[in-house]
């Protein structure tokens, strides 16, 4: 098993569904599921967002922290924060969502580049001590995802 | 059977996926399926748009004319034509779509008000002679929809 | 358009869900949907039987006659009439079902051979005057099926 | 947390898909998923059997032992071992299946009575040391099931 990589910090220009900005540093000690999506991405709307909402229900009694990340890398004018806010309302998404910080030199926003996401949807499971346990591009079977999150929650942290 | 009502003319501020603006008057002689949607309407994205795309495939060899109508009546800033254009691209919607004309006095756009739609998705089936054959709010069973369109196509027109 | 073939008569060794045996001759004047299935056929259980049950609901107010035909051509010992009766009960199938008559010379039962079905599920739509309008091996889109049944019901009969 | 109950031993009159009879005693040290079904149970065919097949795929590289149990408590004549064998073939079920032993005094077979199953589908997850970790009547969400199996596999056994 390779040594787990530390999860890069988030770079977020605006937060929705949370009074306080979130940082991975501040969430150390909890398992974090980071879900990168775009509101005009059909696979996100049809598959990964419903899966994340099922995860929210199933793991509601645990200390799992779910974070949505709106990683706009195409159609930038079409997916403004105004549209994102209405989207979250219509799709009843209530967990915190950060807008991935735009990069002036590139269509790829900053956090997306740090993680090297190939597109949306992408998901990252982060251990209690801030290490990347798993990265997924696309959507995996619920059985696999449920198993992986349970194991992460049961663990005291990869470095301990 | 009540006398069918004439279908009110469309009021459209911009067209996508068509070089020429469409009018119901100009489509007299053809059966028209008018599909009113909003790009942030979950029931449209998950159900009515896929159904309309199935209808496109199944009735491709007939003279059925499908027209999408973007009837924005909420979150107006969030669903601009720029966002609509990217949405049509991402969801591979290729039949003509009109932007329902905004009404300065009301959040309800003009065509939506003329037809009295209760929300989105709404669909109207219009006969060869321009009469409303059926209006639906929500989504009906494919068997029912297929039967109704076939009967409309088979008919020479309600007034003849 | 080819001249429609007359639908061969049914050869049935036992009827369920009907007090009187049915014959196509006796149903002349009505549209008939003949649905050939086997109770251990996964595609029948998952797809064609639910579709037939949707057709029952949607066309309940018409004079469409739906007939199930249990065409056992494999695992004969496993799909006896006793098992069929329990199957119909558990799956709440209430329209008439005939057991296709076994052929002593062949694993293929008599009606199946007359129609030349390639397997199950197969469906045949029969016009008011007893002609085959359409045969399907497998399951078609509900839109197509709904359109075809509606046209058959609207017609006075192919030979008239 | 209550003390886990020991899982009652299986009473099986015939095995399919295995050269050797299985016993829970002989499987001590492995996690066992026991899936009670009937071949004419619609919820089993549509939901629990596909879920068990997904579990087989996802946990194929682990030492999880999946056992099907054909617990016939109704329509006994309709669900003989001959029909079961053809059913397993048609549905491509390859993991071991035991026929729950008939009880001469009752329609409820012996293993079903020992476990107190309320009907089919029922599932029992058994720990490495032979204790019942969880019983389900019906079908639970894949996320929940995946999480529970992963935790059972990760555990050295409840009594240790």
């Amino acid at each position: 098993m390779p040594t787990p990589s530390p999860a890069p910090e988030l770079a977020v220009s605006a937060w929705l569904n949370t009074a306080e900005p979130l940082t991975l540093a501040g969430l150390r000690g909890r398992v974090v599921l980071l879900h990168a999506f775009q509101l005009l991405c059909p696979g996100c709307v049809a598959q990964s967002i419903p899966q994340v909402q099922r995860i929210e229900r199933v793991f509601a009694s645990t200390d799992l922290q779910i974070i949505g990340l709106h990683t706009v890398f195409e159609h930038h004018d079409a997916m403004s924060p105004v549209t994102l806010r209405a989207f979250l309302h219509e799709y009843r998404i209530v967990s915190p969502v950060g807008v991935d910080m735009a990069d002036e030199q590139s269509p790829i926003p900053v956090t997306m580049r740090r993680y090297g996401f190939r597109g949306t949807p992408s998901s990252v499971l982060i251990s209690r001590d801030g290490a990347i346990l798993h990265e997924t591009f696309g959507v995996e079977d619920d059985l696999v995802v449920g198993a992986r999150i349970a194991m992460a929650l049961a663990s005291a942290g990869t470095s301990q």
Side-chain angles (χ1 to χ4, degrees), chain A residues 86-135:
Chain A
F87 176 82
L88 299 184
H89 176 81
E90 289 301 312
Y91 282 87
R92 299 168 194 231
I93 295 168
V94 295
S95 52
V97 173
V99 177
D100 196 359
M101 190 170 287
D103 182 333
E104 296 188 4
Q105 332 271 268
S106 159
I108 308 295
V110 176
T111 316
M112 183 173 184
R113 195 190 59 231
R114 287 182 185 167
Y115 278 85
F117 294 145
R118 282 182 286 159
T120 53
S122 286
S123 295
V124 187
L125 188 65
I126 301 170
S127 70
R128 296 192 184 285
D129 52 5
I132 293 178
L133 294 172
H134 195 84
E135 270 197 47

Side-chain angles (χ1 to χ4, degrees), chain A residues 38-152:
Chain A
Q38 294 181 104
L39 69 89
L40 290 184
C41 153
C44 301
V45 170
Q47 295 184 272
S48 70
I49 290 174
Q51 184 183 61
V52 168
Q53 293 180 313
R54 290 193 297 275
I55 293 170
E56 279 180 342
R57 281 199 307 276
V58 164
F59 292 97
S61 65
T62 73
D63 67 344
L64 177 69
Q65 175 68 58
I66 295 174
I67 300 178
L69 186 69
H70 196 229
T71 51
V72 180
F73 63 90
E74 57 188 345
H75 307 303
H76 291 78
D77 292 350
M79 293 189 270
S80 68
V82 168
T83 301
L84 177 60
R85 186 175 301 277
F87 176 82
L88 299 184
H89 176 81
E90 289 301 312
Y91 282 87
R92 299 168 194 231
I93 295 168
V94 295
S95 52
V97 173
V99 177
D100 196 359
M101 190 170 287
D103 182 333
E104 296 188 4
Q105 332 271 268
S106 159
I108 308 295
V110 176
T111 316
M112 183 173 184
R113 195 190 59 231
R114 287 182 185 167
Y115 278 85
F117 294 145
R118 282 182 286 159
T120 53
S122 286
S123 295
V124 187
L125 188 65
I126 301 170
S127 70
R128 296 192 184 285
D129 52 5
I132 293 178
L133 294 172
H134 195 84
E135 270 197 47
T136 310
F137 174 48
V139 176
E140 287 181 289
D141 191 296
D142 274 18
L143 283 169
V144 175
V145 171
R148 191 180 292 129
I149 294 174
M151 296 305 294

Side-chain angles (χ1 to χ4, degrees), chain A residues 1 4 28-31 126-131 133 151-160:
Chain A
M1 199 160 75
R28 206 56 49 81
R30 293 176 64 178
V31 176
I126 301 170
S127 70
R128 296 192 184 285
D129 52 5
L133 294 172
M151 296 305 294
L153 288 168
S155 165
T158 56
S159 69
Q160 298 178 314

